[in-house]
Amino acid sequence: MRIKSLLILFITGLFAAGLLSCGGKKGRNATISGAFALYPLGVKWTEQYKAVNPGLRFDVSAGGAGKGLTDVLAGAADVAMFSRQLTDAEKKKDIWVFAVAKDAVLPTFSRHNPDAALIRKKGLTEAQLKDVYLSGKNNISWGALLDTSGTHNVVVYTRSDAAGAADTWAAYFGGKQENIKGTGIYGDPGLAEAVGKDANGVGFNNVAYVYDITTGKKRPGIDVIPIDRNGNRQIDPGEDFYENADSILQAISDGRYPSPPARDLYFITKGKPTDPDIIGFLKWVLTDGQKYVKTAGYVPLTDAVIKEQLQKLQ
């Protein structure tokens, strides 16, 4: 009888321990990987979501749109941050795409450039920008671009990683990332730093890496090359919207800044999401999460686009 009682106590103890073990779990981890363009907003969203849904923890990392796509296809990430259109080959891989926000890629130059004031005044035409970034010529002088006697040649920096920003910037001229000729630099922050240190350097960055969203001012070291869209060799009032984050985001929203290089940003999953945690997070991003988009330095989706994206989750 005594042995039977001890056995019952032992089994009861194991059961209680199991309950405690299960009760100790705080939920699951969700991994998000991919585009530098979406990384600051991805971090903002996950922080806010955790505040109201503490059972879901997040691991968010930036490594470029290409890495995000690779990770999600390999099952190493639940969600990828993506900043370009899928290729025809990628569309055949059962990838689900959800537009979540909008931003743009901006051409940049070094604030140390001695012709900085003239660059801001005249900008560069679309034809000049295409020649600078895609021709591969290493003898294009700032003087030739700005109609001065300057002899210093432009130095082009581009992304070394598979980047949606590079692909989107090249798409503005009908090209792909590999068509941009220049010194390859890894990541958005690295590219901004390289351009800022080279007085003759030019590159391109996503909005959140050009402007300090806290202050709205341009980050130290780099400035934006205004695009002279009508080719009259001056930046007219309708082309002048680069002063601060609010002004460029408004220009992206109302279409004064061209698309591309303005573009939608995406979350992508391998197959239609079935995990309730991931579905819940995606729905929140498309509803309550949109109120954080502008303050993070991006353009919110329109109501029509939000409705369309939510229908994909039904």
Side-chain angles (χ1 to χ4, degrees):
M1 183 68 182
R2 184 177 181 185
I3 294 176
K4 185 177 179 181
S5 297
L6 289 173
L7 182 60
I8 291 173
L9 285 173
F10 178 70
I11 293 173
T12 303
L14 286 177
F15 182 68
L19 285 179
L20 286 173
S21 176
C22 292
K25 291 182 179 178
K26 298 299 184 183
R28 59 156 297 198
N29 289 322
T31 301
I32 302 176
S33 167
F36 281 93
L38 198 46
Y39 177 72
L41 183 53
V43 171
K44 181 74 172 180
W45 271 333
T46 53
E47 289 176 347
Q48 296 299 325
Y49 189 74
K50 281 192 300 184
V52 292
N53 296 275
L56 186 60
R57 297 183 295 269
F58 293 93
D59 178 9
V60 187
S61 63
K67 184 177 187 308
L69 178 61
T70 300
D71 286 348
V72 85
L73 289 176
D78 298 289
V79 176
M81 300 177 286
F82 208 63
S83 55
R84 62 170 172 78
Q85 297 295 316
L86 292 172
T87 65
D88 290 340
E90 291 165 350
K91 290 177 182 176
K92 298 175 181 176
K93 298 182 178 179
D94 191 25
I95 299 168
W96 281 65
V97 180
F98 302 90
V100 293
K102 188 172 184 178
D103 83 337
V105 181
L106 306 173
T108 57
F109 72 99
S110 172
R111 288 198 172 207
H112 300 299
N113 191 308
D115 292 318
L118 193 56
I119 294 172
R120 296 188 194 100
K121 181 180 179 181
K122 300 187 72 168
L124 295 181
T125 68
E126 292 173 345
Q128 287 177 319
L129 289 167
K130 182 177 181 179
D131 200 31
V132 165
Y133 286 93
L134 268 63
S135 72
K137 300 174 184 174
N138 57 11
N139 60 349
I140 300 175
S141 70
W142 282 106
L145 294 172
L146 300 170
D147 303 316
T148 70
S149 59
T151 58
H152 294 291
N153 291 331
V154 177
V155 179
V156 179
Y157 294 88
T158 183
R159 292 279 291 275
S160 61
D161 50 311
D167 215 52
T168 301
W169 182 237
Y172 183 36
F173 311 109
K176 299 287 187 182
Q177 175 173 353
E178 55 268 28
N179 299 128
I180 301 176
K181 309 301 181 185
T183 301
I185 304 292
Y186 179 80
D188 245 307
L191 183 53
E193 182 179 4
V195 170
K197 289 181 177 178
D198 188 336
N200 296 302
V202 298
F204 50 85
N205 282 102
N206 297 297
V207 171
Y209 295 88
V210 175
Y211 296 89
D212 181 334
I213 301 306
T214 304
T215 64
K217 297 178 180 178
K218 295 168 192 166
R219 296 184 183 278
I222 59 173
D223 207 331
V224 181
I225 303 173
I227 302 177
D228 175 17
R229 297 192 69 190
N230 61 16
N232 67 352
R233 305 310 295 120
Q234 65 179 14
I235 296 303
D236 299 318
E239 299 168 325
D240 187 9
F241 38 70
Y242 302 96
E243 180 61 27
N244 54 55
D246 282 345
S247 58
I248 185 61
L249 291 177
Q250 184 59 50
I252 294 168
S253 179
D254 62 30
R256 282 176 294 151
Y257 191 74
S259 179
R263 44 68 190 282
D264 285 336
L265 298 172
Y266 308 97
F267 276 166
I268 65 175
T269 59
K270 182 182 181 182
K272 184 176 181 179
T274 57
D275 184 327
D277 287 331
I278 299 302
I279 293 173
F281 174 61
L282 290 173
K283 284 183 177 178
W284 180 89
V285 163
L286 292 166
T287 52
D288 292 348
Q290 288 294 302
K291 64 186 175 188
Y292 301 105
V293 173
K294 189 172 182 180
T295 56
Y298 300 78
V299 176
L301 301 177
T302 64
D303 290 342
V305 174
I306 290 173
K307 183 178 179 181
E308 179 184 346
Q309 304 309 303
L310 286 172
Q311 287 176 343
K312 295 180 182 179
L313 291 168
Q314 301 303 317

